Amino acid sequence: MIFDGDRPVVVGHRGAGSGAVHLPGAEDPVVENTVESILGAVRAGAAWVEIDVTRTADDELVLRHDPTGADGAFLVDRTAVESGLPRLADVFEALPPEVALDVDVKTILEDAVDPPARRTGALLVPLLRAEARRRPLLVTSFDPSLLLGLREELGNAVPLGLLTWVRFPLWHAVAAAAGLGMNAVGLHTGSCGIDPPDARLRPLDHNVDVAHKAGLEVLAWCPAPADAPRYAAAGVDAMVVNDVPGVIAALSSPDPDVPDPAEDAVQD
């Protein structure tokens, strides 16, 4: 298993959250995808932290969600030093080994034509092989070809998860992840049928049950704190969230809109 526990594991999205996030005790906003943001998420109670990785012109892997830097220049046209972004190798080195990481790999257009050794997945392999001996890891990506390449190189040393985007049909996501031999499937909240409701979907707990029977763990992507108990009741294994303290508080408080299985058992 990737995630353990009686309730969904809380994963900090891009560290402490997407965008510039105010953390308790910090005077200034913390920038996403930085060591400070990662450690801030852990201090806020996240059991895992998600980070985004892409490559630069000099074949370095850096932490960044978008293919462009803050000034709009494409990172693949700049070196890691020119980008000013944290290098993945340095982040691995700086973090205590108990910090569990979900490495979300962002492939770029050039991966379709560059020599195989220069592609994002190939650059990631030696780092993952070494880091898997130090800390819990999960690698997620929207790119199934990258994930299959990692599986070929790493075997089962690192669990892999297929991500899907807003309104991607949930049944396709589960079927694709299972067919590709993935360990997990990441579902955006827009694909889960909770917010907004989607009459074409079976209840989320049914879909999660099917995913579990297919050997997949389920990550819900960016639910709001108010919705977190409903995802927990549906049985998701993890939630990748922007508001770590808010979601933890919501999961710790009884939700009147979510049936309590223990109470139902007593009534029966």
Side-chain angles (χ1 to χ4, degrees):
M1 292 183 63
I2 305 168
F3 305 109
D4 295 321
D6 297 330
R7 66 182 188 184
V9 166
V10 175
V11 183
H13 185 215
R14 307 183 197 173
S18 174
V21 178
H22 283 278
L23 290 172
E27 294 184 3
D28 300 314
V30 175
V31 179
E32 67 181 35
N33 281 316
T34 59
V35 170
E36 183 183 12
S37 183
I38 295 167
L39 294 177
V42 173
R43 288 194 296 270
W48 281 66
V49 182
E50 183 258 6
I51 55 175
D52 299 304
V53 174
T54 190
R55 71 177 170 102
T56 56
D58 53 344
D59 296 340
E60 290 281 2
L61 296 175
V62 296
L63 270 62
R64 178 72 175 174
H65 175 269
D66 301 317
T68 57
D71 61 357
F74 282 94
L75 295 175
V76 73
D77 297 328
R78 290 190 166 181
T79 66
V81 171
E82 290 170 342
S83 76
L85 297 169
R87 294 172 62 247
L88 179 61
D90 295 335
V91 171
F92 279 160
E93 184 65 27
L95 293 176
E98 63 270 15
V99 177
L101 292 175
D102 170 5
V103 181
D104 183 354
V105 188
K106 307 297 185 184
T107 50
I108 58 175
L109 183 64
E110 286 73 11
D111 280 334
V113 293
D114 280 346
R118 291 197 62 198
R119 296 173 189 171
T120 306
L123 298 174
L124 190 59
V125 165
L127 292 175
L128 292 176
R129 186 173 283 129
E131 201 62 20
R133 296 191 287 266
R134 296 185 65 229
R135 72 180 73 251
L137 289 175
L138 167 67
V139 175
T140 52
S141 180
F142 293 97
D143 183 350
S145 64
L146 177 139
L147 294 170
L148 289 175
L150 291 178
R151 175 57 48 79
E152 184 175 347
E153 292 291 335
L154 298 171
N156 295 317
V158 179
L160 306 174
L162 178 67
L163 301 182
T164 58
W165 189 225
V166 181
R167 309 299 289 173
F168 190 90
L170 187 148
W171 53 91
H172 290 176
V174 172
L180 292 168
M182 297 293 102
N183 306 97
V185 59
L187 305 171
H188 189 276
T189 54
S191 297
C192 290
I194 285 181
D195 183 21
D198 191 337
R200 298 172 301 169
L201 296 180
R202 290 179 181 269
L204 182 59
D205 58 349
H206 174 89
N207 295 306
V208 170
D209 182 57
V210 171
H212 286 165
K213 288 176 179 175
L216 299 169
E217 296 186 42
V218 179
L219 296 84
W221 223 259
C222 298
D227 292 328
R230 299 174 67 188
Y231 286 90
V236 302
D237 301 283
M239 301 184 204
V240 184
V241 305
N242 290 316
D243 184 351
V244 172
V247 169
I248 290 175
L251 292 176
S252 301
S253 302
D255 187 329
D257 295 327
V258 177
D260 186 338
E263 291 185 3
D264 289 344
V266 171
Q267 293 174 2
D268 291 343

